[in-house]
Amino acid sequence: MCAAVALVVGMVAAINLAVPLFAASALHPSAPALVWIVDTYVIVFACLVIPAGAAGDRFGRKGVLLTGLGLFAAGTLLSAAAPDVAVLLAGRALTGIGAAAVLPNSLAVLLHAVPAERKPATIATWASMTGIGGVAGNVGGGLVLTAGSWRWLFAAAAALSLGLAALVARCTPVSSRHDRPLGPLAAVLLTGASVALLLGIVQGPEAGWDSAVVVTGFAGAAVLFAAWVVTELRSAHPLLDPRLFRIAGLRSACLGLTAIFFGMFALFYVNASFLQYAKGFGVLATGLGIVPLTVPIVLGGRHVARLAGRIGLGATVAGAFGFVGGGLLGLSTSDAGTPYAAYAAWLVVTGIGVTLALPTLSGVIAGALPPAQAGVGTGLQATTREFGSALGVAVVSTVSTARFTAALPPDLRGAHTVAEALARAPHTSDVVTAFVSGTDAGLRVAGVAVLVLGGLVVAESWWSRRGR
């Protein structure tokens, strides 16, 4: 089960390493298409986690888990063989559906299979796989991509998924079923609203912020989110009851997790391209280059609860946002001449903030709900994490692309990706300088956004305590 979680989470991280390879490939994706290659998987994953958990309760967790691994393998094989961007995006969406079926049901299978006294340790181990999966995705993805083609990344993921499916079929026990409603309409509305929101953000720089596609995207997102809320409020058995967000602690913790993952995946998206284009790293070195971020998570995660008990929950959360936002702002000062040691130091600063945030905010969400709604809490955490990740990639790409195109020399204007500019550039240094300028602008926006959202979370937490 842990290997399955590491696979579906690692795929979120690994794909960022391949962005320069996609840009230079025969597919010739535009800048918005590059974002959708990353985000299609993440947003489908985010929006279907809770319905997929309900499907496991209804039809059997082992069966839905096996179906998820099969869909993951089919989606990655379709992506590996994709002749154009449209087919690649279809493969990414299918892979996201599979990942959504894997994540919640892997935990449900574990909780059914272990005795009561081992469940807390089992949950902690399973949860740690989300962090380890990110590292595995960067390092493993870097190893695979040294073969020189992004297609090998998808082929390797398909092989791993099929191998895990064989192990699940042989080793996993069958659990009981429950007559839990699936709520397909709510899932479709939430997915559609999220895609419409990202469409508006991603297409803004290229189509214009007042263009029909962007205005329609934002308007459609507002209408679909409203329709989703109404549908869930009228449902006798909502998948994700919007009334839960009346709980101040739950509301602020969900916003906090969204903000943290917004910052993390904004960094992951630009980090891979920065280390390859600006620093000249290979894909394996790039995958290893993010490891300093994980050092505080590995060494300090188990001490966060003790620290929060000593300095207080509010101070711990405030420190988390301060470190993540400050780390991103520090990284935004990097350029091609910055020593990697200085860059790694800012990664460690960011990692300290992530270490403080994840167990603290996850604990707040879990503690805000009764034990009978533990599954909802798990699904809500996964949804907020993945939605924040998708939003971070979309926003940082939008900002960095706009700045990159504006910073290009006049004879290179009109290029929207680094690969396109390099194909036309007589002097690569001009392109790299413009790219670094765009990367720095994106990281600055991400850092400020994390600090502002963190301030809102801390302020609401203080206000709710004052009210009590």
Side-chain angles (χ1 to χ4, degrees):
M1 295 303 103
C2 288
V5 172
L7 174 63
V8 300
V9 173
M11 197 62 183
V12 181
I15 198 69
N16 292 295
L17 295 175
V19 167
L21 294 176
F22 287 127
S25 71
L27 300 182
H28 302 299
S30 64
L34 285 173
V35 179
W36 285 114
I37 290 170
V38 176
D39 262 0
T40 299
Y41 173 80
V42 180
I43 201 64
V44 172
F45 189 178
C47 294
L48 297 186
V49 165
I50 295 178
D57 291 343
R58 182 80 173 267
F59 301 115
R61 289 145 187 172
K62 180 177 181 177
V64 174
L65 178 58
L66 282 170
T67 301
L69 289 168
L71 290 173
F72 190 95
T76 47
L77 285 173
L78 180 61
S79 300
D84 53 42
V85 172
V87 175
L88 177 57
L89 294 179
R92 295 290 286 156
L94 185 60
T95 309
I97 296 172
V102 168
L103 189 69
N105 289 293
S106 62
L107 179 61
V109 164
L110 278 177
L111 295 180
H112 171 74
V114 302
E117 64 273 12
R118 289 181 57 194
K119 286 184 179 180
T122 299
I123 293 172
T125 303
W126 179 90
S128 70
M129 290 302 109
T130 59
I132 293 173
V135 178
N138 275 289
V139 177
L143 282 169
V144 172
L145 289 170
T146 54
S149 172
W150 54 268
R151 297 182 188 275
W152 286 107
L153 179 63
F154 294 117
L160 289 171
S161 185
L162 291 173
L164 285 170
L167 287 172
V168 168
R170 179 177 180 180
C171 303
T172 302
V174 176
S175 59
S176 58
R177 303 182 184 186
H178 306 284
D179 190 20
R180 183 180 175 186
L182 299 181
L185 177 58
V188 170
L189 289 172
L190 182 59
T191 304
S194 302
V195 171
L197 175 62
L198 294 179
L199 178 67
I201 295 172
V202 172
Q203 294 296 142
E206 190 165 295
W209 292 103
D210 58 349
S211 64
V213 65
V214 173
V215 172
T216 302
F218 287 135
V223 171
L224 290 171
F225 273 125
W228 169 74
V229 171
V230 171
T231 300
E232 290 289 66
L233 289 176
R234 290 181 175 178
S235 174
H237 302 284
L239 283 173
L240 177 57
D241 192 344
R243 285 173 287 248
L244 289 174
F245 294 102
R246 293 174 180 172
I247 304 172
L250 180 71
R251 183 172 61 244
S252 61
C254 287
L255 177 61
L257 272 181
T258 301
I260 292 297
F261 276 81
F262 174 97
M264 281 179 62
F265 278 81
L267 169 61
F268 289 164
Y269 185 78
V270 299
N271 169 77
S273 297
F274 176 82
L275 291 181
Q276 291 182 65
Y277 286 133
K279 303 296 290 180
F281 284 22
V283 285
L284 177 57
T286 299
L288 294 171
I290 199 68
V291 168
L293 178 78
T294 67
V295 172
I297 300 174
V298 173
L299 299 181
R302 64 183 182 274
H303 303 298
V304 174
R306 190 181 312 122
L307 176 66
R310 180 173 299 177
I311 67 175
L313 183 65
T316 304
V317 172
F321 287 110
F323 276 108
V324 172
L328 292 173
L329 291 176
L331 287 165
S332 74
T333 64
S334 302
D335 56 29
T338 301
Y340 174 72
Y343 188 82
W346 286 117
L347 289 177
V348 172
V349 171
T350 307
I352 292 171
V354 174
T355 305
L356 294 173
L358 295 188
T360 307
L361 295 172
S362 297
V364 171
I365 293 175
L369 296 171
Q373 291 183 296
V376 174
T378 301
L380 188 56
Q381 289 189 47
T383 299
T384 53
R385 289 178 181 210
E386 300 304 328
F387 184 75
S389 303
L391 199 59
V393 169
V395 170
V396 78
S397 171
T398 297
V399 174
S400 59
T401 298
R403 177 58 187 156
F404 166 70
T405 55
L408 284 171
D411 57 327
L412 296 178
R413 296 285 168 83
H416 290 90
T417 66
V418 178
E420 185 181 351
L422 288 173
R424 297 164 46 187
H427 302 292
T428 59
S429 60
D430 294 336
V431 178
V432 172
T433 300
F435 167 74
V436 170
S437 176
T439 298
D440 290 346
L443 287 173
R444 277 195 298 273
V445 169
V448 170
V450 169
L451 291 173
V452 170
L453 292 173
L456 293 175
V457 171
V458 172
E460 182 175 38
S461 178
W462 174 82
W463 184 260
S464 64
R465 289 198 304 272
R466 184 174 180 271
R468 289 196 299 270

